[in-house]
Amino acid sequence: MHPSSGALQAAFAHLIYNLFAIVVIYVIPFPHPVPLFCAETLAHVASERRWVLAVYLGTVFIALPALVIVLVGVL
């Protein structure tokens, strides 16, 4: 059984995205502290205001993927 071409395209897109992220974060020295700073800042804000965490999770894992699905469906 062969995977569909859509599945292969999605896998290839994820591979390219992950390789690009590795190059940006680990090879170029300037952005090294950025992910750590962002994670620490979000953790600090979310520990004081729980609703920020709920909004962040809802936006990143529900609203943005839904928006992409709608836009891809329209195009």
Side-chain angles (χ1 to χ4, degrees):
M1 180 177 270
H2 297 291
S4 68
S5 64
L8 289 175
Q9 287 176 347
F12 186 68
H14 282 87
L15 175 68
I16 296 299
Y17 177 79
N18 287 331
L19 289 175
F20 178 73
I22 288 170
V23 168
V24 167
I25 292 174
Y26 291 111
V27 175
I28 303 171
F30 170 74
H32 285 196
V34 174
L36 183 59
F37 173 77
C38 291
E40 287 176 346
T41 302
L42 179 61
H44 178 70
V45 172
S47 68
E48 294 177 357
R49 297 174 192 92
R50 295 273 181 183
W51 64 269
V52 171
L53 183 60
V55 169
Y56 173 78
L57 291 174
T59 301
V60 171
F61 293 106
I62 296 172
L64 287 177
L67 179 64
V68 169
I69 289 169
V70 167
L71 290 177
V72 169
V74 169
L75 300 175

